[in-house]
Amino acid sequence: MSGSSQSPAGFTAAIIVAAGRGSRMGDAGSAPKQYARLGGQSLLAHSCKAFLDHGDVAVVLPVIHPGDVSLFNEAVSPHPDLLAPVFGGATRQQSVHAGLKALAERETKPDTVLVHDAARPFISASTITAVLQGIEESTGALPGLAVPDTVKRARSDGLIEETLSRDGLYLAQTPQGFLFGDLLAAHDNAAAEGHSGFTDDAAVAEWAGLSTVIVPGNAENFKITTKRDLNKAFDIMQVNKKLDVKHPHVGHGYDVHRLVQGGPIVVCGIEIASKLRADGHSDADVGLHALTDALLGAICDGDIGSHFPPSDPRWKGASSDRFLAHACRLAREKDGDIVHLDVTLICEAPKIGPHRDAMRSRIAGICGLSASHVSVKATTHERIGTIGRGEGIAAMATATVMMPAMSAGLVAGEEETAQG
């Protein structure tokens, strides 16, 4: 599976339509447009990846031209959820029908199906999610953009005949999503009656009497048809790369615990023989607690108490590696790269030096890092105050996480509303 969750619509498959010839792209003899390179990958690879990376899409099925097998193998990397391609037909409708029939022959048939044009490489995860949610409201859904300009009808010689109202007019995009059985039946019936020229699946659904709802589309989700479109796509990708540059976020953490009779004591995930132990609701590991807060601070996601309240009996006596692992997981879910962790332990006892390397290795193991990215230091409190009198132990920590820059505007994927 591509992700751990499934949409409310259940098992979802995506069909990527890539059987066209792309004659408007330009040079005769050149590869079809879906194999044109953009940022080092083919348009088809970009489109497949968007669905393979979406947690609610289980499998992706490319539909290609029979003569493009070698092109496909060069253009798209294997993936456990990427099915072997099937061959399409002479029209888009026939190609989608071939994909639907191939999915129907699988042991596990999808509940819902998304159909997407390979030449729309900037499809966003939020648009895919919106389509899946739209299927819950109707039998089908598609992303659409309200027509922004005045619309004219002209004769074949170019003379304007009338001005049309743009109210209720939308530019249809993909993916278009439907309940699988409904769309398969609609395509079966259309083919049986000799229809082969429907230009999208919503048209097939409309012909079959199925209802389809429009959800918000995205201005970046345009179809690349000409060389000018490809140049526009290249410009968008260059801007997105600049916006996607990661910047260092630094978080700080501090924790302190009383020392009470009854060792051993746990510090930075290592159990140390001692007559004293740190007193706390969990295992009171000051080092891991401070590191957890530092990571949460770097990603701006509260503090250890908001995630693991001491009032919650679930965390009584809990091992603090669970807290630190949770913070690491949150950082990575936000596309953060943890690059450095530094903790300073402040205590009169126990002696930290003999255990320093074990602590670094333990922290590195919890966080999935090399120990070379983890620093553990220790100092006394010069017998000043409660810590200096041996009544407590404290830790200060710093976490450095490389985080993506904030996206802004349509270039970074801002959604257009269906109402314009």
Side-chain angles (χ1 to χ4, degrees), residues 17 29 87 92 97 145 170 224 239 260 303 310 316 330 353 361:
V17 188
F87 297 146
R92 185 187 189 282
H97 194 197
L145 296 178
Y170 293 87
I224 295 176
V239 173
V260 296
D303 58 22
K316 184 174 178 59
L330 291 177
S361 295

Side-chain angles (χ1 to χ4, degrees), residues 188-241:
D188 284 344
N189 293 335
E193 295 192 21
H195 297 288
S196 62
F198 289 115
T199 56
D200 72 357
D201 297 284
V204 179
E206 181 184 352
W207 172 83
L210 302 175
S211 61
T212 306
V213 67
I214 289 180
V215 301
N218 186 318
E220 272 194 4
N221 186 25
F222 65 95
K223 188 174 183 180
I224 295 176
T225 304
T226 65
K227 284 186 175 180
R228 176 177 290 184
D229 295 333
L230 190 60
N231 290 335
K232 176 183 174 182
F234 179 79
D235 290 341
I236 289 174
M237 181 160 283
Q238 291 302 105
V239 173
N240 280 344
K241 281 184 178 179

Side-chain angles (χ1 to χ4, degrees), residues 5 7 52 55 79-80 85 148 169 208 221 247 326 328 351 357 387 402:
S5 64
S7 79
L52 290 169
H79 187 284
L169 294 182
N221 186 25
H247 300 282
H326 175 76
C328 292
K351 296 296 183 184
D357 289 341
I387 293 176
M402 301 301 292

Side-chain angles (χ1 to χ4, degrees), residues 70-396:
S70 60
L71 282 173
F72 175 84
N73 290 335
E74 293 174 5
V76 180
S77 301
H79 187 284
D81 297 329
L82 183 67
L83 304 180
V86 298
F87 297 146
T91 68
R92 185 187 189 282
Q93 180 190 330
Q94 292 171 342
S95 294
V96 175
H97 194 197
L100 292 169
K101 288 190 290 186
L103 290 174
E105 293 172 358
R106 288 174 53 83
E107 182 178 350
T108 303
K109 299 175 180 58
D111 300 296
T112 57
V113 62
L114 303 172
V115 183
H116 185 65
D117 299 325
R120 295 182 187 268
F122 295 123
I123 177 62
S124 67
S126 56
T127 298
I128 296 171
T129 298
V131 172
L132 287 171
Q133 291 173 344
I135 299 171
E136 298 299 308
E137 304 172 14
S138 182
T139 55
L142 65 87
L145 296 178
V147 173
D149 301 317
T150 300
V151 180
K152 305 288 185 181
R153 186 193 302 279
R155 301 185 329 201
S156 59
D157 59 5
L159 289 176
I160 294 173
E161 286 186 331
E162 62 176 319
T163 298
L164 304 177
S165 171
R166 63 186 181 188
D167 291 343
L169 294 182
Y170 293 87
L171 302 175
Q173 299 180 328
T174 66
Q176 298 183 0
F178 299 88
L179 298 176
F180 176 75
D182 288 348
L183 188 62
L184 175 60
H187 270 271
D188 284 344
N189 293 335
E193 295 192 21
H195 297 288
S196 62
F198 289 115
T199 56
D200 72 357
D201 297 284
V204 179
E206 181 184 352
W207 172 83
L210 302 175
S211 61
T212 306
V213 67
I214 289 180
V215 301
N218 186 318
E220 272 194 4
N221 186 25
F222 65 95
K223 188 174 183 180
I224 295 176
T225 304
T226 65
K227 284 186 175 180
R228 176 177 290 184
D229 295 333
L230 190 60
N231 290 335
K232 176 183 174 182
F234 179 79
D235 290 341
I236 289 174
M237 181 160 283
Q238 291 302 105
V239 173
N240 280 344
K241 281 184 178 179
K242 293 178 182 178
L243 290 174
D244 287 342
V245 170
K246 292 186 176 182
H247 300 282
H249 285 211
V250 179
H252 300 281
Y254 176 79
D255 192 43
V256 61
H257 284 280
R258 279 191 318 128
L259 291 177
V260 296
Q261 292 295 323
I265 188 171
V266 179
V267 185
C268 290
I270 301 300
E271 188 176 282
I272 303 173
S274 170
K275 295 180 180 180
L276 301 175
R277 63 175 175 83
D279 186 32
H281 186 65
S282 63
D283 63 4
D285 187 330
V286 289
L288 297 193
H289 289 190
L291 282 169
T292 300
D293 262 347
L295 271 171
L296 293 172
I299 63 174
C300 304
D301 199 350
D303 58 22
I304 192 170
S306 62
H307 290 266
F308 304 98
S311 58
D312 190 333
R314 287 183 299 167
W315 313 123
K316 184 174 178 59
S319 175
S320 296
D321 60 348
R322 298 172 63 183
F323 306 156
L324 183 56
H326 175 76
C328 292
R329 184 166 57 253
L330 291 177
R332 291 183 174 116
E333 286 176 357
K334 294 175 181 286
D335 198 22
D337 298 321
I338 303 167
V339 295
H340 184 250
L341 298 175
D342 178 41
V343 60
T344 299
L345 300 164
I346 310 165
C347 59
E348 301 299 322
K351 296 296 183 184
I352 301 301
H355 308 284
R356 187 194 316 273
D357 289 341
M359 291 176 178
R360 293 177 62 212
S361 295
R362 178 66 177 132
I363 292 167
I366 296 168
C367 299
L369 302 173
S370 165
S372 63
H373 292 246
V374 179
S375 171
V376 174
K377 307 186 301 295
T379 185
T380 68
H381 215 250
E382 297 295 335
R383 302 194 179 278
I384 301 170
T386 56
I387 293 176
R389 292 192 298 269
E391 298 172 7
I393 182 171
M396 298 185 297

